[in-house]
């Protein structure tokens, strides 16, 4: 899949890989970038905000753990996510992953995110043993449509890319770390 790395030891997607390798390579680069932006910080660093935004690096880690666990499991397998997401009263606190992150240690947040990415990687790798990115997930919309694996992976890449922009600004405000 990815063998080359950039200056921050983040994987580079293959320049001429097949579709699955390109998608997974891009997703792994996004994951590595978030890990780099959140890495090495204490609790105060993970709770820092920029301007009027309430977004924190800790909140980003917990949010992306939620996305990794719920998005792939729901769309690919049509099954609900497990703990801790299945015990949350989302109606009472729809932003629970963002608000509760302030109570978690940096180690807990990183472990939650790393566990979620490992589960997501495993589900995707298993799916790719049965077919390519065009295979349909088991989730069905109210219109009777199912997303294919390609769309599921593209949605993950998009979600990471959007939030890495936030992470860039927050991390720079914490200790001046800049870079892609």
């Amino acid at each position: 899949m990815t063998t080359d790395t950039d200056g921050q030891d983040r994987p580079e997607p293959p320049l001429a890989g097949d579709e699955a390798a390109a998608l997974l390579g891009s997703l792994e680069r996004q994951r590595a970038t978030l890990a780099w932006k959140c890495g090495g910080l204490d609790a105060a660093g993970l709770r820092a905000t920029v301007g009027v935004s309430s977004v924190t690096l800790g909140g980003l880690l917990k949010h992306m753990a939620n996305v990794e666990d719920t998005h792939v499991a729901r769309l690919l397998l049509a099954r609900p996510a497990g703990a801790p997401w299945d015990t949350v009263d989302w109606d009472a606190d729809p932003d629970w992953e963002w608000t509760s992150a302030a109570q978690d240690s940096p180690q807990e947040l990183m472990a939650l995110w790393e566990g979620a990415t490992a589960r997501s990687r495993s589900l995707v790798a298993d799916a790719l043993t049965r077919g390519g990115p065009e295979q349909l997930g088991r989730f069905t919309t109210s219109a009777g449509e199912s997303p294919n694996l390609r769309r599921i992976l593209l949605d993950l890449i998009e979600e990471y890319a959007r939030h890495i922009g936030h992470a860039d600004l927050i991390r720079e405000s914490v200790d001046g770390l800049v870079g892609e």
Side-chain angles (χ1 to χ4, degrees), residues 20-135:
L23 288 166
L24 293 176
S26 181
L27 179 56
E28 288 302 328
R29 179 174 50 192
Q30 297 299 321
R31 287 172 171 154
T33 301
L34 182 64
W36 176 54
K37 292 294 178 178
C38 296
L41 292 175
D42 61 11
L46 289 178
R47 290 185 196 120
T49 60
V50 174
V52 298
S53 176
S54 62
V55 174
T56 65
L57 291 172
L60 284 171
L61 280 172
K62 200 162 190 177
H63 172 69
M64 290 310 301
N66 181 22
V67 171
E68 289 273 6
D69 267 340
T70 59
H71 189 74
V72 175
R74 181 174 61 87
L75 297 178
L76 189 59
L77 302 175
R79 74 174 188 214
W85 322 113
D86 60 347
T87 61
V88 176
D89 183 350
W90 294 102
D91 292 328
D93 189 357
D95 294 325
W96 177 83
E97 76 268 41
W98 296 96
T99 59
S100 66
Q103 283 73 52
D104 298 330
S105 72
Q107 296 79 13
E108 290 169 322
L109 290 166
M110 193 59 77
L112 180 68
W113 176 74
E114 287 172 346
T117 59
R119 286 184 293 279
S120 181
R121 280 186 192 107
S122 178
L123 292 175
V124 170
D126 184 55
L128 287 171
T129 66
R130 294 187 307 275
E134 68 282 352
Q135 68 183 281

